[in-house]
Amino acid sequence: MATVEQQPAAASTNGRAGQISVENPATGEVVGSVPNRSAAEVAEIVARARAAQPAWEALGFEGRGRIFTRAQKWVIDNSDRIVATIVSETGKTHEDAQLAEIAYAANAFGFWAKNAPEFLADERVRSASVFVRGKRLLTRYRPLGVVGVIGPWNFPLTNSFGDCIPALAAGNAAVLKPSEQTPLTSLLMAEMLDECGLPPDVFLVATGDGEAGAALVDEVDFIMFTGSTATGRKVAARAAEHLIPVGLELGGKDPMIVLSDADLERAANAAAFYSMNNGGQVCISVERVYVEAPVYEEFVAKVTEKVRNLRQGDPAGGPGTVDVGAVTFAPQVDTIDAHVKDAVAKGARVLSGGRPSGDGPGRFYEPTVLVDVDHTMDCMTEETFGPTLPIMKVGDAEEALALANDSPYGLQASVWTRDTERGEQLARRVEAGAVCVNDAQINYAALELPMGGWKTSGLGSRHGAGGIRKYCAQQTLLVTRFAPKRDLHMFPYRARNTKLLGGLLKLVYGRGRRG
Ligand code: NDP
């Protein structure tokens, strides 16, 4: 067991509740412990980051990019160690850690190093206004200062540290408050950046519980939050008190719509994978399926067979030994089980799984397929965040669409059909920030594509140009080089000038036809 006491606050004051133990959810073994930072300690950590930020900004894109290139290599060279750390604190499989975390970080360092200079370059602007003719008009981006990132436990690298990468690329310092369930990966990332030559204090980790997260909101210039909609609302309300901008990536209830002309074998493989990968603990998991009646029976049979064959357990045996890992967050077992029991009590049938599993101290939930479900059941309306797949029969695509949109969430969705043109038209009518046709989740790997939720699934987006511009203040510059001593519109107002200006406005804007 490792006791981690990294990056202590400069003059540590009254630590609130001492240490937080970190447990391996697959075995119950304690694998580390980290300090539970008090609000005063969080403030000190942010102050250190603030002091380090100007020199980091001054390094420029090239200087920062060099460190990112080293970090990219470090991630690949040390991938076994990173995977082992992630697996030890989440209980997820090696493959889930490799696919969604190592691959993400390695790609992200390269992507932001390459694209930050272009996304944040000065932009020359042309204007139709007669008042600014001949003037130089520009917009530019400047880092905000210190970006705070509050992360969840399902992806301790991707959804926590991952948001720090563009923040740092823009020239901000970043302070990360990881979930108290999974803080070890963030501390490893701090060690990595240190070895890669990041100047001291530019990236700091403030370990602790929810109160440490709340304290971070009070100190930073931008807060990026990933987690539940309920906590997201609290974070947004607290940020509003300081009038700082927020980015929120919250819960989802992603629908999958399977039309009768779909490639059923591919759709069934995808349904099993994208609902159960990472133990179903993915904000963009397939959480509910609507299948057109003519192919419903065949689709259900295929999915059930695939889910029954999944191997679940402690991933300690290494790569290829299990498909579905543990439930990372203890209370989540109760949420998953409550959704399954609620569905069964209201008439649903369990075709596979349906219970917590494992006879040891580890936490698991059996990969579960539910049918005869409807929207009176929590499993179809609330985020389950576990290895469950409720499948509902629908009359046609319009019914599927109406049910897909019957949700307070709007993170992602997918449509499955061989008629990709029709699929795309249907996708455009789904109320979600991202919709795939004949695919799911994999859009997240393309950092060029913005990713953000509609409705209660979030505010703002990550990835794409917007994913780094949000960490900057935009500044407009107007430069006048050649000009008279007094412009026509300046004091004193004279009737002749007013008439002249009126004529000018008529000339420029008054020539279009009416009606
Ligand atoms: P939370 O949203 O409560 O936690 C996310 C992060 O916020 C954690 O780091 C947490 O710290 C921190 N936090 C908690 N309270 C506050 C606060 N008042 N101010 C600032 N930060 C705070 O998620 P949970 O871990 O409790 O999971 C609850 C549900 O959220 C899950 O059942 C799942 O449905 C959903 N979820 C969604 C995710 C997504 O990717 N969209 C990811 C994870 C969960 P700490 O962990 O120390 O409490």
Side-chain angles (χ1 to χ4, degrees):
M1 176 190 129
T3 300
V4 185
E5 177 58 61
Q6 296 191 17
Q7 306 183 84
S12 179
T13 49
N14 50 331
R16 195 155 24 92
Q19 298 286 116
I20 294 173
S21 286
V22 184
E23 199 184 281
N24 182 336
T27 62
E29 185 198 351
V30 173
V31 291
S33 95
V34 298
N36 190 11
R37 297 291 185 200
S38 68
E41 286 173 323
V42 171
E44 284 174 51
I45 289 170
V46 175
R48 283 163 54 200
R50 201 172 285 293
Q53 187 271 332
W56 174 241
E57 180 183 349
L59 210 54
F61 291 115
E62 224 182 288
R64 295 196 290 271
R66 270 196 295 276
I67 293 166
F68 275 31
T69 306
R70 274 180 235 143
Q72 187 177 43
K73 186 158 186 321
W74 198 101
V75 167
I76 296 301
D77 290 348
N78 294 274
S79 60
D80 287 347
R81 188 175 162 208
I82 303 173
V83 166
T85 304
I86 294 172
V87 169
S88 79
E89 61 181 350
T90 59
K92 68 172 70 176
T93 66
H94 289 252
E95 287 76 5
D96 286 335
Q98 184 189 50
L99 264 173
E101 311 234 52
I102 298 293
Y104 182 91
N107 185 19
F109 276 119
F111 176 82
W112 293 114
K114 178 169 176 274
N115 291 295
E118 189 191 317
F119 290 154
L120 302 182
D122 289 3
E123 275 177 42
R124 192 79 191 271
V125 174
R126 292 191 186 286
S127 170
S129 169
V130 292
F131 295 101
V132 295
R133 287 280 149 82
K135 299 176 194 292
R136 192 169 133 81
L137 311 178
L138 290 175
T139 59
R140 49 90 55 148
Y141 297 93
R142 198 196 150 159
L144 283 166
V146 182
V147 169
V149 174
I150 300 175
W153 39 261
N154 56 339
F155 290 106
L157 198 169
T158 298
N159 277 354
S160 296
F161 180 71
D163 284 315
C164 299
I165 302 174
L168 291 167
N172 296 286
V175 176
L176 171 59
K177 204 301 277 180
S179 166
E180 67 189 285
Q181 316 297 318
T182 56
L184 304 181
T185 306
S186 298
L187 293 166
L188 180 58
M189 292 299 97
E191 190 185 322
M192 177 265 289
L193 286 176
D194 188 42
E195 276 185 32
C196 294
L198 189 84
D201 295 346
V202 169
F203 170 72
L204 292 168
V205 180
T207 52
D209 58 18
E211 279 186 48
L216 185 62
V217 182
D218 291 340
E219 303 297 333
V220 294
D221 305 304
F222 184 103
I223 196 81
M224 179 67 212
F225 172 87
T226 305
S228 64
T229 297
T231 305
R233 280 187 213 279
K234 287 188 203 161
V235 167
R238 193 137 180 165
E241 286 173 26
H242 302 282
L243 271 184
I244 59 160
V246 292
L248 304 174
E249 209 261 62
L250 308 175
K253 190 72 193 170
D254 294 5
M256 172 179 193
I257 297 174
V258 182
L259 302 184
S260 43
D261 69 342
D263 176 342
L264 283 196
E265 184 60 24
R266 175 168 171 78
N269 277 321
F273 181 72
Y274 289 117
S275 64
M276 310 280 165
N277 66 327
N278 212 55
Q281 303 158 114
V282 185
C283 49
I284 51 174
S285 269
V286 170
E287 284 246 340
R288 51 193 171 124
V289 188
Y290 304 100
V291 190
E292 279 191 316
V295 293
Y296 172 80
E297 297 295 345
E298 191 184 344
F299 177 81
V300 167
K302 281 178 182 289
V303 171
T304 306
E305 194 208 333
K306 291 172 198 304
V307 172
R308 279 191 188 138
N309 286 332
L310 293 176
R311 299 157 301 165
Q312 185 177 43
D314 179 4
T321 51
V322 286
D323 302 306
V324 181
V327 176
T328 302
F329 184 44
Q332 202 65 32
V333 178
D334 297 334
T335 305
I336 302 165
D337 204 38
H339 284 195
V340 172
K341 287 201 170 111
D342 168 74
V344 171
K346 290 171 180 164
R349 280 184 301 133
V350 175
L351 298 188
S352 170
R355 291 174 309 186
S357 61
D359 38 23
R363 294 190 290 270
F364 297 92
Y365 201 91
E366 292 176 351
T368 299
V369 176
L370 291 164
V371 292
D372 299 342
V373 292
D374 61 41
H375 277 217
T376 64
M377 302 170 186
D378 292 343
C379 71
M380 293 299 280
T381 57
E382 290 179 18
E383 187 170 50
T384 307
F385 224 65
T388 60
L389 189 64
I391 308 174
M392 183 172 173
K393 184 171 15 176
V394 292
D396 58 19
E398 289 305 315
E399 187 188 354
L401 182 71
L403 288 165
N405 287 340
D406 176 28
S407 172
Y409 295 111
L411 197 54
Q412 277 226 174
S414 62
V415 178
W416 299 76
T417 169
R418 283 197 169 90
D419 182 346
T420 50
E421 203 169 308
R422 182 175 173 227
E424 194 183 319
Q425 288 312 316
L426 204 63
R428 286 169 185 267
R429 295 168 62 204
V430 178
E431 294 163 3
V435 189
C436 297
V437 177
N438 298 328
D439 238 310
Q441 277 185 26
I442 206 75
N443 55 303
Y444 202 93
L447 300 182
E448 296 77 2
L449 286 174
M451 159 78 211
W454 291 6
K455 304 190 200 173
T456 61
S457 287
L459 273 184
S461 61
R462 52 163 70 101
H463 304 165
I468 188 165
R469 289 180 181 161
K470 71 185 179 189
Y471 293 132
C472 298
Q474 191 177 25
Q475 188 176 47
T476 285
L477 295 170
L478 180 151
V479 181
T480 299
R481 282 169 295 184
F482 310 107
K485 300 286 179 227
R486 189 165 66 82
D487 289 335
L488 198 63
H489 60 271
M490 287 179 180
F491 290 139
Y493 289 155
R494 288 202 181 103
R496 200 173 67 96
N497 289 0
T498 307
K499 202 170 159 199
L500 240 156
L501 268 175
L504 191 63
L505 292 179
K506 213 176 198 173
L507 189 74
V508 178
Y509 304 119
R511 284 178 300 176
R513 284 200 191 155
R514 265 192 229 164

